[in-house]
Amino acid sequence: MIAVIEVILFSYLAGCILFNLVLSVAGRLQRKRTTPPPQAGLYARVAILIPAYKEDSIILSTVESYARLNYPAGMYEVVVIADSLQPDTLIQLNRAGATVMPVSFEKSTKAKSLNAAFAQLPDDAYDLALICDADNMLSPDFLLKVNGAFQNGEYAIQTQRVAKNLNTPFAVLDAANEIIANHLYRRGANALGLSSSVIGSGMAFHYPLIKGIMQEIEAIGGFDKVLQLMVVSKGHAIYYLEDAQVFDEKVEQPEAFENQRRRWLSSQLVYLRQYWKKGWQQLFHGNVDYFNLAVCQNLLMPRLLLLASVTVITVFYILLHHYLLLPATWWVALWVCNCISLLLPIPVLFFRKYLFSALVGMPRAIFIMVSLLFRLKGANNRFIHTKHTKTGIDNPLLDVVSK
């Protein structure tokens, strides 16, 4: 019985690690792609949709930053979907030039806010919808890059999300997680001919496509996981636009980290169950893209838990290999492969400046992740809000984050 458990455990962990390793190497071998500029004067009409739930402290600075984008002013509109914002905030947003749509729900979700906006906005006024979070800031040429990709035939685009802040150990860990995820599941996936996964913000879609898809989505948590599957099922690949950067606030404290990861873990398990059967059916019909997003990525153990579990098991086998079936060298090799898959995406500057901070925060982060495995019930049935406060960008890694 113990031998069977050993083989099953090794097979699952090896599958997770080899999957990540292949994507990591593919991402490293892939040259950074640049989207050719569109014809002169050819600009898509863009609706920037910002669901804002109790984000009074951050939303005004976000909207004001969008006014400085290098894109024709008449070709984009900033739409704030104001859920539970203060009346004074609404007045200031109107003065800043945003279109403000107050909404109220018994149970607030991003999907409900977006659908409320789509119901009020005219169908023929836009070519693209860009979905951002209330804390997101954009690089000055962001819309130009997105426009270039759209004019080049891309109807579903995920841009590169990078950290606004690296001011605490948990913010550093969150930023490292983003760098690795961008490299593996977006850059690496595109390098292998697969769709990029989406992140929930910094996403641009052909306006009729996203409006139609959102009307079919009622998810509370992890709506982006449903969104990407519906995009792929309609025959559209998701393009990773690496040279368009959206800046995102990283969680600073353990409590925020815990709430965020609880939401992510719960949605991963919920959608693994929901799309397991259909994912395999799509694979047998030749839709590898759908299978990857529905089954492979939801089946993966979170990388922090994967690192911790393989490390502990490897040490255990080294000490007690005489009493176990599998040789310790197998686990050592697996541990090395896991480290390579995680280290390849990280820029050298990160190690020089932030390695110590990451190591300081890692034990508590691992403890939180392990404890969450026993406290996931109901997390996907309610909206778990992460509060944001950062109005500026302080990230010394920006020059190398996409290399």
Side-chain angles (χ1 to χ4, degrees):
M1 183 63 180
I2 294 178
V4 173
I5 294 174
E6 284 185 67
V7 172
I8 293 174
L9 183 61
F10 182 85
S11 299
Y12 170 67
L13 295 177
C16 292
I17 290 170
L18 292 178
F19 181 84
N20 285 338
L21 182 61
V22 169
L23 291 174
S24 186
V25 173
R28 177 57 67 182
L29 296 177
Q30 171 76 40
R31 290 184 178 182
K32 182 181 176 182
R33 297 184 297 182
T34 56
T35 303
Q39 297 178 16
L42 194 59
Y43 297 103
R45 300 164 300 168
V46 184
I48 304 179
L49 306 178
I50 313 173
Y53 175 77
K54 294 184 177 180
E55 294 283 13
D56 297 89
S57 63
I58 194 81
I59 186 61
L60 183 61
S61 66
T62 298
V63 168
E64 290 173 343
S65 74
Y66 290 1
R68 299 189 290 271
L69 294 173
N70 183 16
Y71 201 74
M75 298 303 293
Y76 72 101
E77 181 179 3
V78 179
V79 180
V80 177
I81 311 160
D83 187 350
S84 305
L85 296 185
Q86 298 298 317
D88 185 57
T89 303
L90 303 182
I91 294 172
Q92 294 183 66
L93 288 171
N94 277 307
R95 288 175 181 169
T99 297
V100 181
M101 293 184 174
V103 295
S104 179
F105 309 104
E106 183 177 346
K107 289 185 177 181
S108 296
T109 70
K110 185 183 286 189
K112 288 179 181 178
S113 289
L114 290 170
N115 278 320
F118 283 125
Q120 297 181 54
L121 293 171
D123 289 344
D124 58 353
Y126 314 101
D127 303 304
L128 277 172
L130 171 65
I131 299 172
C132 291
D133 287 340
D135 63 303
N136 290 160
M137 298 176 70
L138 307 175
S139 57
D141 61 352
F142 183 93
L143 290 183
L144 290 175
K145 302 284 189 180
V146 170
N147 178 59
F150 174 68
Q151 303 296 351
N152 201 41
E154 304 296 345
Y155 274 25
I157 303 164
Q158 174 62 62
T159 61
Q160 182 183 190
R161 199 167 70 179
V162 296
K164 264 186 176 181
N165 57 303
L166 293 165
N167 55 322
T168 72
F170 275 88
V172 169
L173 282 174
D174 203 8
N177 177 69
E178 192 90 85
I179 292 170
I180 294 170
N182 282 337
H183 183 93
L184 269 59
Y185 311 125
R186 288 172 263 288
R187 183 175 184 170
N190 270 191
L192 295 177
L194 299 170
S195 280
S196 160
S197 62
V198 299
I199 325 173
S201 66
M203 310 179 295
F205 302 93
H206 187 218
Y207 192 86
L209 172 67
I210 186 62
K211 179 174 181 177
I213 287 176
M214 285 305 306
Q215 290 173 346
E216 301 179 47
I217 296 179
E218 298 179 354
I220 296 176
F223 91 100
D224 49 327
K225 288 185 176 292
V226 182
L227 170 60
Q228 63 189 5
L229 290 175
M230 296 188 71
V231 168
V232 169
S233 68
K234 293 182 182 298
H236 297 279
I238 303 172
Y239 179 75
Y240 179 45
L241 185 58
E242 189 173 3
D243 55 352
Q245 294 181 333
V246 52
F247 304 106
D248 179 75
E249 183 176 332
K250 300 294 104 180
V251 297
E252 297 179 323
Q253 301 302 327
E255 295 77 17
F257 179 89
E258 180 174 340
N259 285 335
Q260 187 183 73
R261 265 48 182 189
R262 186 176 183 222
R263 185 174 72 243
W264 291 0
L265 276 172
S266 177
S267 64
Q268 181 175 337
L269 293 175
V270 165
Y271 295 124
L272 175 62
R273 289 195 300 267
Q274 184 173 337
Y275 293 103
W276 174 264
K277 182 178 179 180
K278 186 175 180 180
W280 283 100
Q281 289 173 341
Q282 289 295 309
L283 177 64
F284 295 140
H285 286 91
N287 194 343
V288 178
D289 217 5
Y290 192 99
F291 177 77
N292 172 55
L293 294 173
V295 176
C296 296
Q297 294 198 18
N298 284 325
L299 193 59
L300 286 174
M301 180 181 288
R303 291 178 300 280
L304 197 57
L305 287 177
L306 190 60
L307 176 62
S309 59
V310 173
T311 300
V312 170
I313 293 172
T314 300
V315 172
F316 182 79
Y317 266 79
I318 290 174
L319 296 176
L320 300 174
H321 63 278
H322 294 298
Y323 306 99
L324 299 165
L325 173 67
L326 300 179
T329 52
W330 287 21
W331 287 101
V332 172
L334 204 58
W335 183 85
V336 170
C337 288
N338 189 44
C339 289
I340 292 172
S341 72
L342 299 177
L343 294 177
L344 279 178
I346 302 293
V348 174
L349 182 60
F350 181 91
F351 294 106
R352 285 204 294 253
K353 293 180 67 73
Y354 299 106
L355 179 60
F356 180 74
S357 292
L359 292 176
V360 167
M362 192 173 292
R364 186 165 184 184
I366 292 173
F367 175 80
I368 289 172
M369 293 292 289
V370 173
S371 67
L372 286 177
L373 296 176
F374 305 96
R375 295 187 289 116
L376 293 178
K377 186 176 180 180
N380 206 58
N381 296 324
R382 63 188 181 91
F383 178 62
I384 303 176
H385 176 59
T386 301
K387 187 176 180 180
H388 303 99
T389 60
K390 293 288 180 291
T391 58
I393 300 169
D394 182 17
N395 184 346
L397 295 176
L398 288 180
D399 291 335
V400 296
V401 73
S402 60
K403 292 183 180 178

